[in-house]
Amino acid sequence: MKVIKTGFTTWENRHETFVEKIKDLYELGNDDSLSPLDSYNDSTKGLQQIIAQAIALKLPLRALGAGWSWMKIATADNGIMLDTKPLNMLFDISASSVNPAYTGDPGKLFFAQCGNGVWELSRYLRPRNLSLKTSGASNGQTIAGVTATGAHGSAFDVGAVQDFVLGLHIIVSPTRHIWLERASAPVASPAFIQSLQTELVQDDDLFYSALVSFGSFGIIHGAMIETEPLFLLECYMSRMPYDATLQKLMQTLDFSNAKLPNGNERPYHFAVFVNPYDVAGGAYVTTMYKRPYVAGYTPPARNLNGIGPGDDAACFIGGLTQAIPALVPVLVNKLLAGALTPYSKQMGTLSEIFDNTTLHGKLLSAAIGIPIAYVTQAISLLLAINKTNGPFSGLFACRFVKKSPARLAFTHFDYTCVIELDGAYSDETYAFYTAAWKAFEDAKIPFTFHWGKVNELNMTRLTTMYGDNIQTWIAARNKLLDADTRQVFTNATLKLWGLDKSL
């Protein structure tokens, strides 16, 4: 494996919301003089050597994805950070590499090295007439990063990104790396395990704990991904009254009497944007319907000013700055007038619809997951808080995702409404967030935080949110990592949350 020690002593995240002091940033690369499999295994050994070095130097260590998180979740404070983006090999999976107990189609499996961006995966799959099952609203994140932080889309009958990962190749110490999969759903054959020169571990609790573990279970070097046939999405955005009919739809996901573009057809994707300064004018409702792939369609038109099909508020809300409070409603309405443009029957593949990697300006983003039954109460609370602790320089966006079995997936409820709060980068936005979380707790609305976005977590809140899953996750980390390796994969954020405990 190629290792370039850059000597950088600071690192800034993609959204430019913080700068972390570090000892060094290593840029990693596969050895292209070797065969693909030999190169992958050589990188495994190289990563083990880096872990050994970090242990010897007693330095924190973190593998970095695309740097997309707003929190210092993937940083190694005063330690070593690894740029894994160039570790982006992809492998087709042969039938001989698949366990006979696997009930799916081996032709729809592939193996991705950790640094692959979501856009790279889609580019690889397209000629094979395959597609990812879902993605986040932006496709610049790496597969390891979106899995480790539980990134979600709004495919509410599909789940979040980690839910189509079937197996993980994890480097857990300088002398050990494992292939981790579920005992209840084996996927890898002995030949596959041998090809990676690794150790098979089949354990549901360990697997579901490691899926969403934000880089603290060692280095995820590769993942087995389950795909599906290439499909199209038929997309609409319209403005609808934010009335009892729409609110009931949001609380139940019952589309039997929906007044949507395709009537009562159940969409693949459903999202609602509420402008707190023009509720009377109606909410912006996005619906996408899954269609068989056929050639000859016109790809979606881009809205360069803001939201097109698949985009979220983070694509345009950075245009707001810390403004005089009295001007905030005017600025939000003016910005939304250009950004939220209704459209009808735009067609595209998943990767064409959810293809945005461009951000416009510095912004903050928080997201919470709540049971869908509470969504109307939650929006009412946010509107009230905006009057007492605002004005919030942004809008309220609701997406809907089904429950994930990952132990610490923030899509934790049977159907989760993810309320996204993208706002201007300002002290006022942080203050609004704090007031919102307290109000939700006072109202006894269950909620979880998106791990990679702005949050205020501690062990008390985590226990309230996840119950026994917290101890299951901590026990899994202790089982997979020895004391020395746990130490190097513990950063300040993990300590703040109380998830660094030894058993």
Side-chain angles (χ1 to χ4, degrees), residues 396-472:
F396 311 146
C398 299
R399 298 175 184 267
F400 300 86
V401 190
K402 79 171 186 179
K403 181 181 178 70
S404 172
R407 298 297 181 247
L408 293 191
F410 93 103
T411 47
H412 178 67
F413 308 103
D414 287 342
Y415 277 100
T416 298
C417 174
V418 179
I419 302 179
E420 297 177 324
L421 302 169
D422 297 320
Y425 183 82
S426 68
D427 294 339
E428 285 76 12
T429 299
Y430 276 115
F432 179 88
Y433 289 158
T434 297
W437 316 149
K438 184 179 186 305
F440 276 48
E441 287 175 331
D442 290 345
K444 301 190 183 307
I445 296 177
F447 70 95
T448 56
F449 282 114
H450 189 305
W451 293 100
K453 296 192 174 186
V454 176
N455 60 58
E456 295 179 45
L457 279 169
N458 52 48
M459 181 50 67
T460 300
R461 274 184 167 160
L462 284 170
T463 301
T464 299
M465 292 172 179
Y466 295 101
D468 292 342
N469 282 358
I470 290 292
Q471 296 308 315
T472 299

Side-chain angles (χ1 to χ4, degrees), residues 206-452:
L206 293 183
F207 176 76
Y208 285 128
S209 296
L211 267 183
V212 178
S213 55
F214 19 90
S216 64
F217 271 51
I219 297 175
I220 294 177
H221 192 196
M224 183 88 80
I225 307 296
E226 187 174 60
T227 67
E228 65 175 278
L230 190 65
F231 59 91
L232 293 175
L233 291 172
E234 180 181 312
C235 308
Y236 301 82
M237 178 192 281
S238 58
R239 201 158 189 193
M240 298 176 60
Y242 184 67
D243 58 11
T245 300
L246 180 56
Q247 291 171 19
K248 182 178 179 181
L249 184 57
M250 295 166 69
Q251 291 177 112
T252 63
L253 298 181
D254 178 0
F255 295 89
S256 57
N257 295 301
K259 297 178 181 179
L260 296 173
N262 286 319
N264 62 1
E265 180 183 352
R266 191 170 177 85
Y268 166 91
H269 171 113
F270 175 60
V272 179
F273 297 83
V274 177
N275 175 4
Y277 306 106
D278 190 17
V279 179
Y284 297 84
V285 179
T286 300
T287 50
M288 300 182 185
Y289 301 89
K290 200 170 185 179
R291 301 289 182 246
Y293 180 81
V294 292
Y297 65 94
T298 301
R302 303 305 305 158
N303 180 356
L304 298 179
N305 293 319
I307 288 188
D311 294 340
D312 61 10
C315 300
F316 73 91
I317 208 72
L320 292 169
T321 57
Q322 191 159 338
I324 298 171
L327 296 180
V328 168
V330 175
L331 291 174
V332 170
N333 286 330
K334 182 178 179 180
L335 186 64
L336 295 189
L340 287 167
T341 305
Y343 52 82
S344 179
K345 206 170 183 177
Q346 293 208 18
M347 306 293 292
T349 63
L350 180 75
S351 61
E352 289 169 335
I353 298 299
F354 296 98
D355 75 338
N356 197 300
T357 58
T358 303
L359 302 171
H360 303 284
K362 186 182 289 190
L363 74 154
L364 293 173
S365 183
I368 57 170
I370 64 172
I372 58 173
Y374 290 89
V375 62
T376 299
Q377 183 184 357
I379 294 296
S380 295
L381 265 180
L382 290 172
L383 291 171
I385 295 164
N386 195 44
K387 294 178 179 178
T388 59
N389 295 82
F392 177 65
S393 300
L395 74 167
F396 311 146
C398 299
R399 298 175 184 267
F400 300 86
V401 190
K402 79 171 186 179
K403 181 181 178 70
S404 172
R407 298 297 181 247
L408 293 191
F410 93 103
T411 47
H412 178 67
F413 308 103
D414 287 342
Y415 277 100
T416 298
C417 174
V418 179
I419 302 179
E420 297 177 324
L421 302 169
D422 297 320
Y425 183 82
S426 68
D427 294 339
E428 285 76 12
T429 299
Y430 276 115
F432 179 88
Y433 289 158
T434 297
W437 316 149
K438 184 179 186 305
F440 276 48
E441 287 175 331
D442 290 345
K444 301 190 183 307
I445 296 177
F447 70 95
T448 56
F449 282 114
H450 189 305
W451 293 100

